[in-house]
Amino acid sequence: MELFDAHTLVISAVLLVHILGVVIIAIAAAVLVMSLFSVVLAVHAVRTTWALARNTRS
C-alpha cells in the first residue's frame, strides 16, 4: 500500500487550491475596502478645502 494514493493527492490538491482561492478573495476584498476608504478620505479633504477656500473669499 502506497503512502499517498491518487485519491489522497487529488483531495489535497483540491483543498490547497480552495484555500488559496479563499485567501486571494480575502486579500482582494481588503484592498478594495482600503482603496474605497482612501477615495472617501480624498473626496472629504477636497470638499473641506473647497469649502474653506470659498469661505475665505467671501
Side-chain angles (χ1 to χ4, degrees), residues 24-47:
I24 289 172
I25 295 296
I27 291 172
V31 168
L32 185 64
V33 167
M34 286 188 295
S35 62
L36 182 64
F37 185 66
S38 299
V39 168
V40 167
L41 284 180
V43 168
H44 179 69
V46 167
R47 291 183 69 181

Side-chain angles (χ1 to χ4, degrees), residues 1-54:
M1 184 172 167
E2 298 175 6
L3 183 61
F4 296 111
D5 58 349
H7 184 259
T8 304
L9 289 176
V10 169
I11 294 297
S12 300
V14 168
L15 185 62
L16 179 65
V17 168
H18 178 73
I19 291 172
L20 284 175
V22 169
V23 168
I24 289 172
I25 295 296
I27 291 172
V31 168
L32 185 64
V33 167
M34 286 188 295
S35 62
L36 182 64
F37 185 66
S38 299
V39 168
V40 167
L41 284 180
V43 168
H44 179 69
V46 167
R47 291 183 69 181
T48 302
T49 305
W50 183 262
L52 289 174
R54 286 185 58 148

